[in-house]
Amino acid sequence: MSNSYDINANMPLIRLENIGMIYKIGDISYEVLKGINLAIENGEFVSIMGASGSGKSTLMNILGCLDKPTSGSYFLEGKDVSGLTSDELAEIRNKKIGFVFQGFNLIQRLSILENVMLPLYYSGYHSKDSEEMALKALKLVDLSDKGNKFPNQISGGEQQRVAIARAIVNDAPIIMADEPTGNLDSVRGADVMNFFEKINSERGATIILVTHDKHVADYAKRLITVKDGIILSLETVKKI
Amino acid sequence: MKRKRVKFAFFLDLESAYKTLLRNKIRSFLTILGIIIGVGSVIATIGIGQGASKAIQASINSMGSNMLIILPGSSSLGGINSGFGVLPTLTLNDVYAIRKLSSVKTDTAILGMPQQVIWRGNNWSTLINGADSTFPIVRKWPVAKGTFFTPQQVSSAANVAVIGNTAATELFGLINPIGHIIIIHSVPFTVIGLLSVKGFNAFGQDQDDIVVIPITTMMEKIAGTTWVHAIAVSAKTQKDTVAAQSQITALLRQRHHIPVNKPNDFFVRNLTEIAQAANSSAATFTILLASIAAVSLLVGGIGIMNIMLVSVTERTKEIGIRMAIGAKKSDILKQFLIESAVLSLFGGLLGIGLGFGISSAISAFSPLKTVVTAEPIIISVVFSLCVGIFFGFYPAFKASRMNPVEALRYE
Ligand SMILES: Nc1ncnc2c1ncn2[C@@H]1O[C@H](COP(=O)(O)OP(=O)(O)O)[C@@H](O)[C@H]1O
Ligand SMILES: [Mg+2]
């Protein structure tokens, strides 16, 4: 593997090599990730499973370019991103990655439509175009009529669908979701998961789903189990 | 599809900053109160200062050109003619001697005292000024109607009076006073002239509340004295005022037989110089006040910094979200800088309103007419914008340096 910035056709979409993450609190170091090796292909739907505190979110933050690993290399589309500056990582997050969090993470002061438009604002779209794109994304999650509402005026399930719309509005090839159903009942949770399936199958987006819930993890085509900072299994699953 | 927005981005940012600040109206208002008061008082104080210097300038012009005033007394301090008593050092003959000096154009003795003036049923208490026939020239104060008294009327101590506009209005109302007989101190006077309107002087006195009579008549029939209150001298040119001052001093010392080792029993004031000094001290005072007001602008800036820091902390989560979806450091920095700039600009605009309000209130309720010009307005707007950007920078910088993961975890 080289540090080449060229897109390598033979490289998977995502490749982690010996990723380690150590948190230091005062004098004490916590080694949360201990040499993770992982490859994810374009168009996959992957679940990362594990008990609470096993390091799933830490791994997802690294995969999502929100955080930098303490050691190891991360190749995204064949390009080593471990050494990039925070602004370069911001650009990658903006163009390539959409996030869905457990707590929805919508900006309360902004309308639903404005929330969905926000990634486009940071990639420099004209507001007319971005409004059009945001409406399209809202339509995909069946929320066309809620654009003028505010986050506190809609249900949790709807808020999470808004978050999905925001994640896909920029046509990001990768969607990362950290416990997306954690704050929802099972009916709304299933509803949200169906949209992830739809995005994966219809739009070909790569979906990386972090969860501790087996039922939720089962929506994925591949299951990765993490325990104590290492990968226990890379089970490829059944569903086609 | 991917058209870049360039032109509208800034207005979008402005709009969103504006919306954010409107959501918390009271807090936003309290935040900018310091700026409002700062800008308001800068504009008001400069307005007062400019009004004062304009008034001083006007009173320099209205006093008469190149005027010196000679007052009796041994003190070199003060120069204020105290009370109605006349210090017995200056006489009419001093006046006529001074008039012969090369640097002096003309002069007039002045002997003033307040007296009751009666016309028919009306009476009015006003200043009676005894003066020479040269009064209109020395004081640069022509008559509007009728005539001023002649040198002959002065030497014969005629019972004639020239009346100021305010005194005329009080006594006669709309009636033309010329030709009527007024009574001063039981002595009848014929009104022969009406002075032109002079207005208020720099000290807020109504200069038109006056009756002028020949100095001789004043001495013999009203005041009962041979001394005068003051001698007003008009030098030939502005330059001659200095020469006149020393010539008059030498002349009067000689006429009053003052030995070399004794102080003067009079003093000579160059009014133009005094007025100019007053003008420059008014300017200094204005600068001082405006600087104090500017300090409150700085304090206002600190208020903005304080609230922006609170706002950044409160919106940590929002910052995390924005960073997660692709905001760069500069985007976050810009967002908060624009917010504080909009805040302070609003403060500046409201402050201009306040400054105008104070200025017009002062103009309306006091004799001072304030003058608000464009410069202090432009300067305060620019200054308050700079204050907002300067004091907003640290909070905005802090926001832009947040770690996205930690910011997202903030509750
Ligand atoms: N910023 C941090 N500083 C210190 N410790 C952290 C930090 N983030 C996570 N951890 C610790 O790392 C471990 C893994 O956390 P996390 O990745 O959130 O686990 P999971 O998402 O699987 O529940 C936990 O023990 C957690 O306390
Ligand atoms: Mg977690």
Side-chain angles (χ1 to χ4, degrees):
Chain A
M1 292 307 129
S2 68
N3 278 342
S4 159
Y5 278 55
D6 297 326
I7 293 172
N8 186 333
N10 298 324
M11 284 279 273
L13 175 68
I14 285 172
R15 183 184 186 97
L16 299 185
E17 285 180 5
N18 215 11
I19 291 288
M21 189 65 166
I22 298 172
Y23 288 118
K24 281 203 170 85
I25 301 175
D27 289 341
I28 310 164
S29 305
Y30 299 91
E31 193 176 6
V32 178
L33 298 180
K34 304 164 184 165
I36 300 272
N37 288 293
L38 179 64
I40 296 171
E41 299 292 340
N42 196 11
E44 273 198 273
F45 189 160
V46 183
S47 279
I48 299 174
M49 276 273 294
S52 185
S54 55
K56 305 182 298 290
S57 293
T58 306
L59 179 58
M60 205 207 76
N61 288 340
I62 291 169
L63 284 170
C65 294
L66 278 168
D67 217 348
K68 291 190 207 178
T70 321
S71 59
S73 307
Y74 174 13
F75 296 90
L76 180 65
E77 292 182 335
K79 177 172 147 187
D80 187 355
V81 296
S82 341
L84 297 186
T85 66
S86 54
D87 278 354
E88 287 167 328
L89 292 176
E91 175 111 23
I92 289 177
R93 291 196 296 270
N94 184 247
K95 301 271 157 58
K96 307 242 178 262
I97 301 167
F99 289 97
V100 179
F101 299 96
Q102 178 173 358
F104 319 138
N105 282 0
L106 301 177
I107 296 175
Q108 299 297 317
R109 311 180 286 110
L110 301 182
S111 72
I112 299 306
L113 186 66
E114 285 169 329
N115 265 287
V116 178
M117 282 166 70
L118 208 53
L120 302 172
Y121 168 80
Y122 289 119
S123 43
Y125 278 94
H126 194 283
S127 59
K128 251 232 172 111
D129 295 337
S130 65
E131 192 172 323
E132 219 171 274
M133 291 164 80
L135 283 170
K136 235 187 233 170
L138 278 174
K139 193 170 176 198
L140 208 114
V141 294
D142 289 343
L143 287 174
S144 299
D145 52 336
K146 298 280 161 88
N148 291 325
K149 290 216 153 41
F150 283 82
N152 60 5
Q153 296 170 326
I154 58 176
S155 74
E158 285 171 330
Q159 287 192 54
Q160 199 59 304
R161 277 149 59 192
V162 173
I164 293 172
R166 184 179 65 186
I168 61 170
V169 72
N170 217 356
D171 274 327
I174 307 167
I175 306 295
M176 299 204 176
D178 190 349
E179 312 269 12
T181 57
N183 286 8
L184 303 174
D185 61 42
S186 54
V187 177
R188 319 260 172 186
D191 192 31
V192 161
M193 288 318 298
N194 287 331
F195 281 108
F196 281 115
E197 270 193 324
K198 187 174 160 193
I199 291 161
N200 176 244
S201 58
E202 286 179 16
R203 295 169 67 110
T206 307
I207 304 216
I208 302 170
L209 174 73
V210 163
T211 184
H212 65 273
D213 183 342
K214 181 79 174 103
H215 293 292
V216 172
D218 279 344
Y219 280 87
K221 294 172 191 156
R222 183 149 72 107
L223 217 80
I224 297 169
T225 313
V226 177
K227 195 182 178 197
D228 297 331
I230 54 167
I231 290 180
L232 267 191
S233 76
L234 290 160
E235 168 193 352
T236 307
V237 203
K238 55 280 161 181
K239 295 198 295 179
I240 310 131
Chain B
M1 190 71 173
K2 202 155 190 172
R3 250 183 289 148
K4 292 280 172 181
R5 60 185 172 106
V6 179
K7 203 170 173 187
F8 297 103
F10 185 67
F11 294 102
L12 246 145
D13 293 338
L14 271 187
E15 191 196 329
S16 101
Y18 175 74
K19 271 192 195 161
T20 306
L21 298 170
L22 272 193
R23 276 177 61 87
N24 220 328
K25 289 193 195 70
I26 292 183
R27 183 160 102 180
S28 297
F29 176 74
L30 290 177
T31 305
I32 58 176
L33 200 54
I35 300 276
I36 296 176
I37 293 171
V39 168
S41 40
V42 166
I43 288 174
T45 45
I46 292 176
I48 291 166
Q50 290 188 334
S53 84
K54 210 176 154 194
I56 291 167
Q57 203 56 52
S59 74
I60 292 173
N61 294 338
S62 76
M63 256 174 347
S65 43
N66 316 322
M67 192 153 117
L68 297 156
I69 194 136
I70 304 155
L71 297 166
S74 55
S75 167
S76 58
L77 299 166
I80 288 151
N81 194 344
S82 56
F84 314 131
V86 185
L87 280 175
T89 67
L90 297 174
T91 66
L92 269 185
N93 288 332
D94 288 335
V95 179
Y96 301 136
I98 288 169
R99 199 170 292 177
K100 294 195 184 85
L101 291 171
S102 61
S103 56
V104 172
K105 186 160 104 192
T106 185
D107 61 7
T108 175
I110 288 170
L111 178 59
M113 55 172 54
Q115 279 290 341
Q116 197 89 336
V117 182
I118 302 162
W119 180 68
R120 298 200 180 145
N122 301 341
N123 66 72
W124 178 246
S125 187
T126 184
L127 176 70
I128 311 298
N129 235 350
D132 212 334
S133 57
T134 50
F135 179 90
I137 300 159
V138 179
R139 291 294 316 273
K140 229 164 121 189
W141 197 354
V143 290
K145 269 188 203 156
T147 54
F148 203 79
F149 39 81
T150 61
Q152 288 71 35
Q153 284 170 317
V154 175
S155 49
S156 66
N159 290 2
V160 289
V162 178
I163 191 164
N165 194 272
T166 304
T169 310
E170 292 295 341
L171 283 173
F172 295 93
L174 295 173
I175 298 165
N176 181 357
I178 291 167
H180 289 286
I181 309 285
I182 55 176
I183 312 292
I184 305 168
H185 200 64
S186 310
V187 182
F189 284 82
T190 309
V191 178
I192 59 166
L194 175 68
L195 287 167
S196 55
V197 177
K198 193 127 185 154
F200 289 82
N201 68 10
F203 311 103
Q205 283 170 325
D206 181 1
Q207 301 179 87
D208 296 313
D209 192 4
I210 196 170
V211 173
V212 187
I213 59 174
I215 181 76
T216 44
T217 320
M218 183 72 180
M219 286 172 154
E220 289 167 23
K221 298 174 183 170
I222 310 280
T225 175
T226 55
W227 311 102
V228 302
H229 265 147
I231 304 171
V233 176
S234 181
K236 281 192 175 127
T237 64
Q238 169 81 46
K239 272 190 193 144
D240 282 331
T241 53
V242 181
Q245 196 162 359
S246 54
Q247 284 178 6
I248 290 165
T249 307
L251 176 74
L252 289 182
R253 281 185 72 88
Q254 181 211 328
R255 287 181 55 83
H256 296 180
H257 310 293
I258 300 169
V260 205
N261 56 349
K262 286 273 156 43
N264 298 343
D265 61 358
F266 59 91
F267 39 96
V268 185
R269 287 272 177 267
N270 183 337
L271 284 200
T272 312
E273 261 173 23
I274 289 173
Q276 277 163 352
N279 205 356
S280 81
S281 71
T284 312
F285 199 61
T286 304
I287 290 169
L288 183 76
L289 282 179
S291 332
I292 293 169
V295 168
S296 76
L297 258 180
L298 281 187
V299 174
I302 293 167
I304 285 189
M305 175 149 81
N306 187 25
I307 288 298
M308 288 309 294
L309 279 173
V310 171
S311 167
V312 164
T313 307
E314 279 177 353
R315 282 148 70 191
T316 300
K317 183 107 187 178
E318 176 187 328
I319 294 165
I321 296 169
R322 284 175 183 271
M323 285 177 159
I325 62 178
K328 297 193 173 78
K329 285 193 200 119
S330 57
D331 291 318
I332 302 292
L333 187 80
K334 194 175 71 179
Q335 180 191 343
F336 283 96
L337 266 189
I338 288 178
E339 247 181 69
S340 63
V342 167
L343 259 181
S344 61
L345 193 63
F346 255 96
L349 294 177
L350 289 177
I352 290 171
L354 181 70
F356 262 109
I358 295 174
S359 295
S360 25
I362 289 172
S363 292
F365 297 113
S366 83
L368 183 69
K369 299 289 168 256
T370 56
V371 179
V372 179
T373 56
E375 288 126 341
I377 291 174
I378 294 166
I379 291 169
S380 358
V381 168
V382 171
F383 193 58
S384 57
L385 204 58
C386 292
V387 161
I389 291 170
F390 181 80
F391 286 99
F393 189 82
Y394 174 65
F397 181 77
K398 225 181 125 186
S400 75
R401 289 300 143 129
M402 281 182 181
N403 174 301
V405 176
E406 277 163 27
L408 276 170
R409 227 193 333 238
Y410 185 89
E411 285 306 334

